[in-house]
Amino acid sequence: MRKKVLNSLKLIIFLITFFSFFKLYFTRNLNITEELDLIIGESSNLPATWVGSIDVDKNVPILILAGHADSQGLAGAGTPGEAVDKFGLNPMHPDISDELFWNLKLQESIVKLGKKKGLNIRSYDPGIRNIDDANDPRTNWSVGKRFAKRGGYALEIHFDAYGKYGVGSGLIPPFSERPNTIDESIARTFGRFPILFRGGLGAPRRQIRILEIGKLEGLLEKNLRNLKTRQKTIKLLANKIVQAFLNGII
């Protein structure tokens, strides 16, 4: 009887020790509120001299788009990420790229948090994952262009390609509109790309900003994929973006 009790105690101690180690292992990166740079990795080091100085009204309408939401199965599906493409892990969803999976999660979190903070913010999702014509009125680009033309601030969320294929985090400002104070605030948090990045991308040519959160690799991707850190990582990123909006409006 005494031996059984001792064995039970040993098992309990083992389980407590194992649980403590397990918790420490999976939560040691959870205290990340002040470590955004560590999570998202390097920012763009491309030469960018623009400064956002145009004031923005505090009630400016904001539209958050999830990059590649309308181009799955096409050339512009977004990065599969390092975990899938390099290490052979299963994609987060079989029908969409991992980038879009995280773009959608972050889009939802930004809008939810932004509304709580009093921003005039909304999202758009075409729902159709393959729209061949970039000028179809249902695409991100078409909706974002119309929104920007009416005086709104349209921002498309992206995660950059991993390794040598990506550049890092940063904001790509609109092509033919002077950057404003929101642009400047986001750039100070995430970094900045040149306006004519790759000759001028489709979204910025339509006055839609692009925010590259960071390369989909390393600690950022691990924290997104890990169920123990996922929500806190998404919330951290959303909070940094929403705070940049708040800092950038008058």
Side-chain angles (χ1 to χ4, degrees), residues 5 12 45 77 82 86 105 122 137 140 160-161 165 168 170 175 178 184 193 203-205 211 222 233-234 244-245:
V5 172
I12 291 170
N45 61 1
E82 184 181 49
K86 186 175 180 179
K105 293 289 186 185
R122 71 200 76 173
N140 273 3
D160 205 4
Y165 305 104
F175 185 71
R178 288 177 62 190
E184 181 65 22
F193 279 71
R205 285 183 179 276
L211 175 58
K222 288 176 183 176
T233 302
I234 291 172
F245 275 116

Side-chain angles (χ1 to χ4, degrees), residues 149-168:
K149 194 172 182 180
R150 295 193 296 266
Y153 186 100
L155 179 69
E156 191 171 69
I157 299 297
H158 286 262
F159 286 83
D160 205 4
Y162 70 92
K164 64 181 181 180
Y165 305 104
V167 176

Side-chain angles (χ1 to χ4, degrees), residues 13-30 225-229:
I13 292 171
F14 171 78
L15 290 174
I16 291 173
T17 303
F18 177 79
F19 176 77
S20 298
F21 172 80
F22 183 85
K23 186 176 181 181
L24 175 63
Y25 180 80
F26 282 104
T27 61
R28 61 183 177 179
N29 292 319
L30 286 180
R225 280 182 156 256
N226 188 335
L227 288 173
K228 300 290 184 179
T229 57

